[in-house]
Every structure is written in structure tokens, then in C-alpha cells.
């Protein structure tokens, strides 16, 4: 079969709703697009532990601390499921980490913002995990089997993440005036970065067309962003908080909430590495990765020793 | 030993309820059997999803490919007499 025939057959499988598995033939650009997307998704889960880890030792109660710890553990799990999915393209995990460290691979820009107060733990769960749920529910229908399966597992766990965040925010919003102000301040700071999590507008997103043709994505950035806006605006109003957008209005005809234009200069600036925490996040990851090297080396040495011993037993 | 290593890859199978099948969950990295089992518990069963786990080195898995699918599974296509609905029962037959 020629390359062209293979491509046609591949597209027919996609159109028929079949899932593609690692050993199946697939076009190189499909593979590259997915590898980039999955590995960056994995890095995002791992880097995303940092803003929350920052509050672990300052959680206001044992209950809050246990919950935060469980959530951060889940995020580590999400990172590992996704690294495994990316590894199905035959690229070693240490290579992916090297790409992260060299800046060749990115992670979601949302994690380049600082978590300044306890209310941010609420805002992150509610908004950041909330946006991630909208995106990941769509990705669970992705054409690449390993990615779709990882997403199904992740989506099951995310429900708790968003609810615990909303609980924190709702509690603060109904607390003292100072607590309510803190909740509002967190919403003010996280609102627009959360909207940017869905990526550029469809018209400015060069990858969208191919991704949709291949069913890597089955809905566009703008569709997903609107779904998030509609859900979140109502959740904010429900607990007496104000969306920080003077132009926010409900369109009765489309039945959608409309917002001001998004500040994309800010978005690209953070993507390029100039956000408030880009250096801190990456340096932290490098530092702990390097400091953990001896642990991995010991584990490997122990494994080798055990293999030698069991081989010695076998040959006796 | 300065080269970064991410340990060996393992596949995880988990039984979710008593008597049920062991189903593939995903993979992980670990240095040995014990670590693989513990990591599998931490990674795939943080909410009592499992009650028993198998871990298998990934290199021990033998897999068929999409290219093999046709010739590998086709021989069963013309053998529908292997299924109960192939057979015509006399009208009114019960419990069969
Ligand atoms: Fe996550
Ligand atoms: Fe999450």
C-alpha cells in the first residue's frame, strides 16, 4: 500500500469513529501532534502541583490539608497516566523531561501564576480544574486510544477537585467581609487566565483544523470556552461573587454569556516565558529532578543486584 | 551513574471485584516487582478501585497489530455455526 492509500484508510477509520492504537499505522503528523499535546498535558499536571503544594503546610485545618494532599496526589497520578500515554510513541520519559527542562516542551501557562492566598486554593479547584474538566471530557472522545483512556480515568477524579475548590470559595464568600473580599480577589485574578486555558480563538489556532479532522479534538477552543463561561458565571452569581468583567452580559437569543475581548498579548507573553512564575516553576522542577537522581540510581542498582541473585539461583 | 534513568516499564492489570476479570489499567515505571506492585496500588487504586493487582514487565507483552487483524481473525467469519443463533429450533420449543 502506498503512503497515500494508507492515509486514506487511516482517515476512514477516524471517520468511522474507530480508536487508533499504538501499533497501528498512523501518519507522522498525527503522531507528532499527539505526542506534543500529550507530553505537554503530562507536564502541566506535574507542574500544576506546585501552586497547590505551596499551601499544603499552611492549610487552615486538618480536613483542608488532607483534601489538598489527596488532590495533589491525584495530579501526580494524572501526570503519570499521561506520560505513559505519550510513551506509546516510543519516546522515553527521560527525553520528555529533558524537553521540558530545555524549554522545547511547554506546559499550561495557567501554572505560571502565583497562588497568593488560601482563597486561591478554592479558585484553582473551581476554575482551573473546572476548565480542565470541560477540556478533558471532550478529550476522552479522542481518536487515540491510550490518550482517551487516560482521560476517562482522569475525568472520574476531577469531579472531586472542582467540588472541593468550589466548597472553599463558597465558604469564604459567605464568611466575614474580609474573607469574602479574599474570595473575590482570587476570582478576579484567576478568571481571565482560566479563559485562556482553552487556547487561542479558533480563527487564530492553526492546529485546530487538523486536530478536528483527526478527532484529536472533537470540539473547538471557542466552543469549550463558552461552555466553561456559561457554567462558571452562574456558579459565581450563586455564591454572591462578581465576574471581573464590566461587559459581561447574557444574550437571551443565543442563551450564552458574553464577555469582553480576551487580552491575548498577556497570553503570548506568558507562553513565551515572561509570566510571573515561569522561572520559579521550571527551576523547582529541575532542582528536585536532579536531587532525586540518586534515588533512581539506587533503585536501579538494587534491581540489578536482585536480577543477578535470581539468575544465580536459576543456574544452580 | 550520571545518566538519567526512569526505571523499567510495567503493565498493570487490576481486579475490581471478587470473581471479576483482571483488566488492563495502564502502565508505570518501577525498578523491581515490589516497587511495581506498590506503585500500581498508588497510581491506579487511590479510591478502592481494585482488590487485586497483577504487574507484568511491558517487554513481556506480546501484541497483535492492526495489520494482522484481517488474516488473524478472519477465519472465524464463516463459522457462525459456532453461535447459538445459527440453529433453527422447531416452533414452540421452550427453554432452549
Ligand atoms: Fe489533573
Ligand atoms: Fe485536577
Amino acid at each position: 500500500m502506498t503512503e497515500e492509500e494508507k492515509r486514506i484508510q487511516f482517515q476512514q477509520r477516524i471517520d468511522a469513529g474507530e480508536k487508533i492504537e499504538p501499533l497501528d499505522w498512523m501518519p507522522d503528523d498525527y503522531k507528532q501532534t499527539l505526542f506534543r499535546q500529550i507530553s505537554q498535558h503530562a507536564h502541566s499536571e506535574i507542574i500544576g502541583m506546585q501552586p497547590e503544594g505551596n499551601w499544603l503546610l499552611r492549610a487552615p485545618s486538618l480536613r483542608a490539608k488532607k483534601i489538598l494532599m489527596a488532590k495533589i496526589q491525584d495530579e501526580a497520578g494524572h501526570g503519570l497516566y499521561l506520560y505513559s500515554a505519550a510513551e506509546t510513541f516510543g519516546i522515553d520519559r527521560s527525553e520528555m523531561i529533558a524537553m521540558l527542562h530545555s524549554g522545547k516542551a511547554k506546559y499550561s501557562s495557567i501554572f505560571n501564576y502565583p497562588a497568593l492566598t488560601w482563597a486561591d486554593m478554592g479558585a484553582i479547584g473551581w476554575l482551573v480544574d473546572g476548565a480542565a474538566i470541560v477540556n478533558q471530557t471532550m478529550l476522552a472522545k479522542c481518536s487515540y486510544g491510550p490518550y482517551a483512556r487516560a482521560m476517562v480515568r482522569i475525568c472520574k477524579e476531577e469531579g472531586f477537585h472542582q467540588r472541593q475548590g468550589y466548597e472553599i470559595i463558597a465558604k469564604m464568600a459567605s464568611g466575614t467581609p474580609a474573607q469574602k473580599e479574599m474570595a473575590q480577589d482570587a476570582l478576579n485574578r484567576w478568571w481571565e487566565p482560566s479563559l485562556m486555558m482553552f487556547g487561542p480563538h479558533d480563527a487564530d489556532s492553526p492546529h485546530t483544523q487538523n486536530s478536528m479532522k483527526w478527532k484529536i479534538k472533537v470540539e473547538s477552543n471557542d466552543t469549550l470556552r463558552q461552555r466553561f463561561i456559561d457554567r462558571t458565571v452562574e456558579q459565581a452569581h450563586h455564591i454572591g461573587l462578581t465576574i471581573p468583567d464590566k461587559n459581561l452580559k447574557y444574550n437571551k437569543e443565543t442563551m450564552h454569556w458574553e464577555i469582553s475581548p480576551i487580552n491575548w498579548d498577556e497570553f503570548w507573553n506568558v507562553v513565551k516565558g515572561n509570566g510571573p512564575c515561569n522561572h520559579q516553576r521550571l527551576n523547582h522542577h529541575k532542582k528536585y529532578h536532579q536531587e532525586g537522581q540518586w534515588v533512581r540510581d539506587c533503585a536501579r542498582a538494587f534491581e540489578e543486584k536482585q536480577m543477578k541473585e535470581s539468575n544465580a539461583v536459576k543456574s544452580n | 551513574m550520571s545518566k538519567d534513568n526512569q526505571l523499567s516499564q510495567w503493565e498493570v492489570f487490576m481486579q475490581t471485584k471478587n470473581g471479576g476479570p483482571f483488566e488492563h489499567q495502564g502502565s508505570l515505571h518501577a525498578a523491581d516487582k515490589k516497587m511495581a506492585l506498590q506503585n500500581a496500588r498508588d497510581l491506579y487504586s487511590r479510591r478502592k478501585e481494585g482488590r487485586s493487582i497483577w504487574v507484568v514487565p511491558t517487554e513481556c507483552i506480546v501484541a497483535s497489530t492492526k495489520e494482522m487483524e484481517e488474516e488473524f481473525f478472519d477465519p472465524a467469519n464463516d463459522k457462525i455455526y459456532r453461535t447459538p443463533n445459527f440453529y433453527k429450533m422447531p416452533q414452540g420449543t421452550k427453554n432452549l
Side-chain angles (χ1 to χ4, degrees):
Chain A
M1 233 192 286
T2 67
E3 175 85 8
E4 194 46 38
E5 286 167 338
K6 283 183 183 167
R7 271 185 174 267
I8 292 168
Q9 203 179 55
F10 176 81
Q11 191 59 46
Q12 284 166 345
R13 290 189 64 200
I14 299 275
D15 294 341
E18 276 186 49
K19 299 287 179 200
I20 308 302
E21 295 297 335
L23 297 179
D24 299 353
W25 186 88
M26 59 190 103
D28 280 340
D29 33 3
Y30 175 82
K31 208 182 274 186
Q32 278 153 14
T33 303
L34 266 168
F35 174 73
R36 196 188 56 226
Q37 183 172 332
I38 301 173
S39 65
Q40 297 193 3
H41 195 160
H43 297 323
S44 302
E45 302 283 351
I46 297 299
I47 298 287
M49 292 192 283
Q50 290 184 36
E52 290 177 315
N54 178 38
W55 278 92
L56 207 45
L57 298 179
R58 293 179 286 165
S61 67
L62 182 59
R63 178 184 186 269
K65 189 175 186 171
K66 283 197 297 189
I67 292 169
L68 190 58
M69 188 71 217
K71 183 193 186 278
I72 296 170
Q73 282 179 331
D74 276 355
E75 304 302 0
H78 297 177
L80 296 180
Y81 305 152
L82 286 160
Y83 281 128
S84 295
E87 276 172 320
T88 58
F89 296 111
I91 296 166
D92 190 75
R93 192 170 300 184
S94 51
E95 276 177 69
M96 291 183 231
I97 293 170
M99 285 185 236
L100 172 69
H101 287 176
S102 72
K104 195 178 166 221
K106 302 271 184 232
Y107 53 87
S108 176
S109 280
I110 191 80
F111 301 117
N112 289 321
Y113 292 89
L116 301 177
T117 73
W118 176 251
D120 289 31
M121 294 303 95
I124 290 176
W126 172 35
L127 303 172
V128 178
D129 289 82
I133 289 173
V134 171
N135 192 36
Q136 292 174 156
T137 309
M138 175 275 292
L139 290 171
K141 295 173 207 137
C142 164
S143 61
Y144 190 58
Y147 195 26
R149 289 192 286 274
M151 283 300 122
V152 170
R153 193 174 273 279
I154 287 174
C155 285
K156 274 188 204 152
E157 300 179 354
E158 290 288 5
F160 137 60
H161 297 181
Q162 197 188 15
R163 285 176 68 110
Q164 64 84 35
Y166 192 63
E167 190 192 76
I168 292 172
I169 280 283
K171 212 170 180 178
M172 294 183 83
S174 66
T176 64
Q179 286 169 331
K180 183 166 182 182
E181 201 183 301
M182 221 187 250
Q184 181 63 52
D185 170 64
L187 171 58
N188 293 351
R189 284 181 290 107
W190 289 95
W191 170 249
E192 204 173 29
S194 311
L195 300 179
M196 295 177 189
M197 282 176 72
F198 296 95
H201 289 304
D202 299 344
D204 309 319
S205 172
H207 302 298
T208 292
Q209 220 183 355
N210 268 342
S211 288
M212 300 220 13
K213 182 182 86 182
W214 287 324
K215 294 192 186 162
I216 291 173
K217 293 167 75 162
V218 295
E219 286 177 295
S220 76
N221 295 356
D222 286 327
T223 308
L224 297 168
R225 182 167 19 241
Q226 189 61 52
R227 184 171 303 147
F228 172 73
I229 292 169
D230 291 339
R231 285 180 187 177
T232 309
V233 167
E234 272 153 33
Q235 288 160 356
H237 293 165
H238 186 59
I239 52 174
L241 295 182
T242 309
I243 297 290
D245 182 348
K246 289 183 291 299
N247 299 317
L248 181 81
K249 65 166 193 292
Y250 187 69
N251 183 328
K252 278 191 185 127
E253 264 164 42
T254 60
M255 301 209 296
H256 289 303
W257 287 91
E258 289 171 1
I259 58 163
S260 300
I262 293 170
N263 180 357
W264 293 110
D265 291 341
E266 156 83 5
F267 175 77
W268 291 114
N269 193 39
V270 180
V271 170
K272 285 187 190 115
N274 305 318
C277 301
N278 295 55
H279 293 287
Q280 187 189 331
R281 299 290 185 241
L282 209 52
N283 287 340
H284 182 94
H285 192 280
K286 284 179 189 165
K287 177 171 183 269
Y288 286 95
H289 186 69
Q290 280 152 13
E291 285 179 7
Q293 175 83 48
W294 71 269
V295 180
R296 296 190 294 277
D297 288 342
C298 286
R300 167 71 23 108
F302 184 65
E303 177 193 28
E304 276 160 16
K305 182 175 158 238
Q306 280 178 310
M307 289 216 296
K308 250 182 235 152
E309 281 168 6
S310 78
N311 286 344
V313 171
K314 271 181 217 153
S315 57
N316 274 348
Chain B
M1 262 198 262
S2 62
K3 197 185 162 292
D4 182 31
N5 80 65
Q6 292 293 311
L7 312 177
S8 327
Q9 196 176 321
W10 299 70
E11 299 302 318
V12 179
F13 299 81
M14 200 160 71
Q15 186 188 45
T16 53
K17 51 178 184 282
N18 178 250
F22 281 73
E23 282 171 323
H24 185 240
Q25 303 297 313
S27 46
L28 53 76
H29 289 227
D32 57 30
K33 295 174 191 176
K34 191 176 162 197
M35 192 196 270
L37 212 46
Q38 282 171 350
N39 287 359
R41 189 267 323 269
D42 292 347
L43 191 53
Y44 292 103
S45 187
R46 287 190 297 282
R47 292 177 179 77
K48 286 184 82 173
E49 290 94 334
R51 48 168 296 137
S52 184
I53 295 175
W54 294 345
V55 286
V56 183
T58 301
E59 60 194 18
C60 295
I61 302 275
V62 183
S64 71
T65 63
K66 177 72 191 160
E67 283 75 52
M68 290 167 65
E69 185 177 327
E70 224 171 295
E71 59 170 327
F72 202 61
F73 295 100
D74 247 9
N77 269 354
D78 55 357
K79 296 182 180 60
I80 48 165
Y81 50 82
R82 284 177 169 160
T83 61
N85 289 342
F86 178 74
Y87 300 92
K88 287 198 190 75
M89 296 295 107
Q91 196 120 52
T93 306
K94 283 186 183 138
N95 298 323
L96 197 73

